[in-house]
Amino acid sequence: MQLFATYRSRATRNLWAAAELGVTLDLVPVWQTYRLRDPAAADAPMHTGSPEFLEMSPAGAIPVLRDGDLVLSESLAINLYLAKKAGGPLAAQTDGEEAQMVQWALYAMTAMEPHTLPILYVHAEKRRDTNEGLAEIGTHVLALERPLKALEAHLTAHSYMIGHRFTVADINMAEVLRYAQAENGVIERFGAVDAWLRACQSRPAYTAMMAEREKEPAILG
């Protein structure tokens, strides 16, 4: 299977999952256009605006998984596919567990990421110390209150997202929440969520993946 992406993207979710599942992915570098100093250069690497990539992914977004004739985008969907294909304890064991994995993936994307990712961007763009940046963070922290309370209730009653064991559902949710860790205190206020997230991020596959991510330059060229 080929994964078209870079480490500094949502592909971290897929690379972490693959390592946990024992699945081999051939990582084909596709850079976000904004990370290239000159994406129009003749020797520019394949990027999200390259015609050959757009033929495969008209949305022009990474990651994209290719498995034979199947071309799959959306990182959380890719993880659900990888887990189902690999089987084992990280995958759903029943139809009910599969439905719950889809439920939590949708919740992460609709209720969490629209607010966790902007928090990360404020920090990455070094706007944390501006009035506008603080206001933006405040808005998103407030919006996260309700979904984090729901997750806190769930993780107070359950050790993990699904089936009282670590699964791909934990990877999906943990990677969405990681963005909010850029702002101190957002996750820490929810004790069960914080403890669960730290446990997920202490796993060897996660730390190895993040080490590779840190080696990758933020800007190429």
Side-chain angles (χ1 to χ4, degrees):
M1 290 184 286
Q2 294 176 303
L3 185 68
F4 296 81
T6 58
Y7 271 92
R8 290 182 181 269
S9 71
R10 288 181 176 88
T12 52
R13 305 162 183 183
N14 309 137
L15 294 163
W16 179 11
E20 295 277 8
L21 292 163
V23 170
T24 299
L25 294 178
D26 177 16
L27 183 61
V28 180
V30 178
W31 294 75
Q32 299 96 324
T33 301
Y34 69 84
R35 292 176 60 196
L36 301 179
R37 296 197 186 278
D38 186 6
D43 60 348
M46 184 159 59
H47 55 83
T48 51
S50 297
E52 61 269 35
F53 180 70
L54 291 172
E55 285 183 12
M56 179 176 59
S57 176
I62 53 174
V64 172
L65 180 78
R66 178 183 281 165
D67 185 14
D69 292 333
L70 175 67
V71 176
L72 188 63
S73 59
E74 298 302 325
S75 57
L76 301 187
I78 290 171
N79 271 3
L80 295 177
Y81 173 76
L82 292 176
K84 187 168 186 175
K85 181 167 183 171
L90 268 69
Q93 303 299 299
T94 65
D95 290 345
E97 285 191 358
E98 185 171 12
Q100 287 179 308
M101 287 185 175
V102 174
Q103 168 197 285
W104 283 117
L106 291 172
Y107 195 64
M109 286 302 297
T110 59
M112 304 283 199
E113 188 166 277
H115 306 294
T116 61
L117 190 56
I119 291 172
L120 178 66
Y121 281 155
V122 170
H123 282 266
E125 295 165 1
K126 303 188 186 304
R127 296 187 290 113
R128 173 63 175 78
D129 294 330
T130 67
N131 290 336
E132 294 79 4
L134 285 172
E136 188 174 342
I137 287 175
T139 296
H140 291 294
V141 169
L142 183 62
L144 283 168
E145 187 78 11
R146 183 176 179 180
L148 282 174
K149 281 183 177 178
L151 190 59
E152 177 75 4
H154 178 77
L155 289 171
T156 298
H158 305 84
S159 301
Y160 294 100
M161 297 302 303
I162 302 292
H164 299 285
R165 69 186 190 281
F166 181 82
T167 69
V168 70
D170 296 285
I171 296 174
N172 282 349
M173 183 63 76
E175 276 292 271
V176 169
L177 291 185
R178 174 169 61 86
Y179 301 144
Q181 289 180 299
E183 178 71 11
N184 291 332
V186 177
I187 303 298
E188 291 86 347
R189 293 184 301 115
F190 300 89
V193 175
D194 184 49
W196 161 83
L197 184 56
R198 292 179 185 277
C200 291
Q201 293 175 341
S202 70
R203 296 178 67 87
Y206 173 85
T207 56
M209 177 276 293
M210 288 299 289
E212 290 300 314
R213 182 183 183 278
E214 291 301 313
K215 293 177 184 178
E216 187 179 275
I219 301 294
L220 190 66

